[in-house]
Amino acid sequence: MGFDNPVAVSIVLFTIAISFLISYLSIRWTRTTTDFYVASGKIPWKLNGAAMFGDYCSAASFLGIAGAIALSGVDKWWIAIGFFGAWIVLLLVLAGPLKSAGKFTVGDVLVGRFGGRSLKLIAMVGTVVIGTLYLVPQIVGAGHLFNLLLGWDYMTTVFVTGAFMAMMVIIGGMRGTTYNQALQGLILIVAMFALVIVASSIYFDGNPLRIIAQAKETVSTTEAVKIGRDLLATAPTETVEDAFALAQTIREMAPETPTAMTPGVAVPGMWNQLSLVLGLLLGTAGLPHVLIRLYTVKDARAAQKSVEVTIIGLAIFYIAVLFAGLAAMMILYPTLMELLAAGEIGVATNMAVPFLGMELGGEVFLGIIAAGAMAAMLSTSVGLLISMTTSLAHDVYAGIIKPESSDRERVVFAKVGAAVFTVIAIVASIWLREQNVAVLVGMCFGIAASTFAPILILSIWWKGLTKEGAVSGLVVGLVFSLIFTFARFLEMSSVFGIPVLVNPALYSVPVAFLTIFVVSYYTSNQGDVEKFMAVAHRKA
């Protein structure tokens, strides 16, 4: 489309400019490590909850899940349900105790119980691995988005996007990141509801429930391509151009085919579904960029109330995502079929929502939706970079390499780290450009569920955990989850005869927990467990 979308481009650039301005105005609050890492713990819980919502609703939520629903139907809503349900786990199990027991990073919690430096180094490695892989889908989504708006080459877009993400972190620190995430969360929810309302008004007689009713009679675009691959070339022009007529024709050709509202089609097999749900439910409890936000408020009660705000926002948002995804399927039926038939799966999935915006309201609406998508990517990306650089500077540089370093040296080290991590993520984004961003994020959840989630939950709730058990469980969980994650990326069907599933969690989570229990049984260093438990579970 090149520069044929000046209005849409202007809206996106205006949104980016506001984000950059917020970061710039926050420079005065990034002079010390405590300021840069966690805004000195002075963020109000309502603002923090809004920021957590913006941080969590990444490109996977805004583009990936809605796009996946547009291709495969309600099955892909399982991902959203898993994303949402995970916050209930975080609220009930970790939010309060984690705030009470830590200061800046996951490593702080482990060292608070067991002491020593080795756990900080291992925690930093886990943070960097998860953070880098989580950055990839944000950059992939931005690459496709700018290609749509500006006609830029994908390589150019990922470099520009990555550079801007790094600058926001380097300039604004946690305070700037917090305000940006809260603003971007607002943009996200407004954009998604605008999609649903306008789509309902134009195509479904103003009744959003008719979207569901129509979806029950519509074969998903993924299944439709299998049935009518030649139909696009042979059917009358008016049938192909009319999305609803084409969907009806496909349905008549294969009346027994499952519809967009039939569960169990896109994620076939019980084991795949179990693995996906397990990874999503435990994953949030191990995501460093989510956990670090618990340290930006004053106490455990404020941390819990922040999570409650996030849960309410997510419940509303993910309902809208379902309606928007199904609406995109039916309104863009011919377009999505053509993209799938041409092998453009990445574009079809990740750009379904912007395409829908263009269809519903031209450039203005495309600009609003694109601004929402960019807000999602920037919000999550800066949160990831903050958590990664904080762990690098606090756990490794200040904790191991140079404990006597000054605040200024640590902040500079963190900012250099942000630039380095961005470069690594850009390289990975070039490799994984055709992957669905929601699938990529789901894999990161599987890794987090296999590493930090087990050791944090057991550190806070099980007195029998030993230092050796924690180290072994973290390492084994990381190795197993990475093996099956990259096996999926490389399209391997099995590893040593074990089938590769949609998510590594079904294998790596039980192995991690089993390793922790077995090693803890045969070792005895439980750390300063009584003092640690008293601190972690004290009343706010």
Side-chain angles (χ1 to χ4, degrees):
M1 293 186 181
F3 285 91
D4 295 334
N5 304 291
V7 176
V9 172
S10 298
I11 293 172
V12 174
L13 292 180
F14 177 72
T15 304
I16 293 175
I18 292 177
S19 297
F20 187 82
L21 178 62
I22 291 172
S23 295
Y24 179 76
L25 294 175
S26 301
I27 290 177
R28 73 182 71 177
W29 290 292
T30 61
R31 291 171 182 164
T32 69
T33 51
T34 306
D35 290 338
F36 186 84
Y37 299 160
V38 293
S40 298
K42 295 179 180 178
I43 302 297
W45 62 266
K46 292 181 182 178
L47 176 62
N48 196 50
M52 291 172 86
F53 169 77
D55 190 3
Y56 195 67
C57 287
S58 64
S61 294
F62 192 82
L63 295 180
I65 295 177
I69 292 171
L71 298 189
S72 302
V74 72
D75 259 4
K76 295 301 182 179
W77 201 42
W78 273 108
I79 302 176
I81 293 173
F83 285 161
F84 171 77
W87 282 84
I88 306 297
V89 176
L90 182 64
L91 173 64
L92 297 177
V93 178
L94 280 183
L98 206 65
K99 166 60 183 174
S100 297
K103 186 177 181 182
F104 297 133
T105 67
V106 171
D108 283 342
V109 177
L110 301 178
V111 172
R113 175 164 173 176
F114 299 109
R117 299 178 178 180
S118 59
L119 282 168
K120 282 201 169 190
L121 179 60
I122 296 172
M124 186 277 295
V125 172
T127 298
V128 169
V129 169
I130 294 169
T132 302
L133 288 176
Y134 212 131
L135 268 177
V136 170
Q138 316 311 316
I139 299 176
V140 168
H144 289 302
L145 180 64
F146 275 117
N147 180 266
L148 169 68
L149 288 175
L150 304 175
W152 287 0
D153 176 77
Y154 180 84
M155 294 278 286
T156 302
T157 63
V158 296
F159 278 106
V160 171
T161 304
F164 186 74
M165 292 171 179
M167 283 195 323
M168 287 182 64
V169 171
I170 292 170
I171 293 173
M174 180 55 84
R175 185 176 291 269
T177 296
T178 298
Y179 282 102
N180 269 319
Q181 287 174 334
L183 172 64
Q184 288 155 357
L186 177 63
I187 294 172
L188 280 171
I189 204 163
V190 169
M192 189 58 72
F193 268 90
L195 270 179
V196 176
I197 292 169
V198 175
S200 299
S201 300
I202 297 175
Y203 291 96
F204 301 97
D205 300 328
N207 183 1
L209 294 179
R210 290 202 61 185
I211 296 175
I212 302 294
Q214 183 69 35
K216 291 180 179 179
E217 302 299 324
T218 303
V219 176
S220 72
T221 48
T222 301
E223 294 298 313
V225 170
K226 300 174 185 177
I227 298 166
R229 187 175 293 272
D230 298 327
L231 183 64
L232 294 173
T234 60
T237 302
E238 60 270 17
T239 300
V240 175
E241 290 180 348
D242 186 337
F244 290 89
L246 179 60
Q248 183 177 352
T249 300
I250 293 288
R251 182 66 175 159
E252 291 171 354
M253 291 174 61
E256 301 301 319
T257 301
T259 71
M261 295 300 292
T262 304
V265 178
V267 186
M270 179 181 67
W271 300 119
N272 273 311
Q273 294 188 30
L274 283 175
S275 193
L276 178 61
V277 170
L278 179 61
L280 297 180
L281 285 178
L282 283 181
T284 299
L287 290 175
H289 71 291
V290 170
L291 299 179
I292 196 173
R293 293 226 59 93
L294 300 176
Y295 300 132
T296 62
V297 292
K298 64 178 182 178
D299 55 34
R301 181 58 187 141
Q304 291 170 328
K305 291 166 77 174
S306 296
V307 174
E308 291 167 3
V309 170
T310 305
I311 288 172
I312 294 171
L314 290 174
I316 297 170
F317 179 76
Y318 283 133
I319 290 173
V321 165
L322 174 63
F323 283 86
L326 293 173
M329 174 190 291
M330 290 173 282
I331 295 169
L332 301 173
Y333 210 75
T335 302
L336 296 176
M337 281 187 66
E338 288 174 356
L339 288 170
L340 291 175
E344 297 286 344
I345 299 175
V347 175
T349 307
N350 299 326
M351 290 297 102
V353 170
F355 285 150
L356 179 60
M358 188 69 176
E359 181 70 25
L360 294 176
E363 276 199 67
V364 173
F365 218 70
L366 173 61
I368 294 172
I369 300 308
M374 185 54 64
M377 293 173 241
L378 290 177
S379 179
T380 299
S381 296
V382 294
L384 288 164
L385 284 172
I386 279 283
S387 66
M388 292 158 65
T389 55
T390 296
S391 184
L392 181 69
H394 175 67
D395 292 337
V396 178
Y397 186 70
I400 299 174
I401 298 175
K402 194 175 181 181
E404 73 281 3
S405 56
S406 66
D407 259 7
R408 176 175 172 77
E409 289 177 312
R410 296 174 186 181
V411 171
V412 169
F413 191 83
K415 293 180 177 181
V416 171
V420 173
F421 292 142
T422 301
V423 172
I424 295 172
I426 287 173
V427 172
S429 300
I430 295 170
W431 173 38
L432 297 169
R433 62 182 296 176
E434 291 301 323
Q435 294 287 336
N436 176 0
V437 292
V439 171
L440 289 172
V441 168
M443 303 299 272
C444 293
F445 271 69
I447 297 171
S450 310
T451 51
F452 289 137
I455 61 170
L456 287 176
I457 292 171
L458 294 177
S459 291
I460 287 173
W461 293 102
W462 185 39
K463 293 183 177 182
L465 177 69
T466 66
K467 181 177 182 179
E468 295 81 3
V471 171
S472 301
L474 183 55
V475 172
V476 170
L478 181 62
V479 170
F480 266 74
S481 59
L482 285 177
I483 287 173
F484 284 95
T485 293
F486 281 92
R488 176 77 190 276
F489 290 158
L490 296 172
E491 299 182 352
M492 297 171 61
S493 60
S494 64
V495 177
F496 301 118
I498 303 173
V500 175
L501 303 177
V502 296
N503 194 284
L506 191 63
Y507 302 137
S508 50
V509 169
V511 168
F513 272 107
L514 181 62
T515 300
I516 292 171
F517 288 132
V518 171
V519 175
S520 294
Y521 181 79
Y522 286 103
T523 53
S524 59
N525 182 7
Q526 296 176 355
D528 194 354
V529 62
E530 296 300 334
K531 180 180 178 181
F532 176 84
M533 290 293 182
V535 171
H537 297 284
R538 66 190 174 195
K539 297 296 182 181

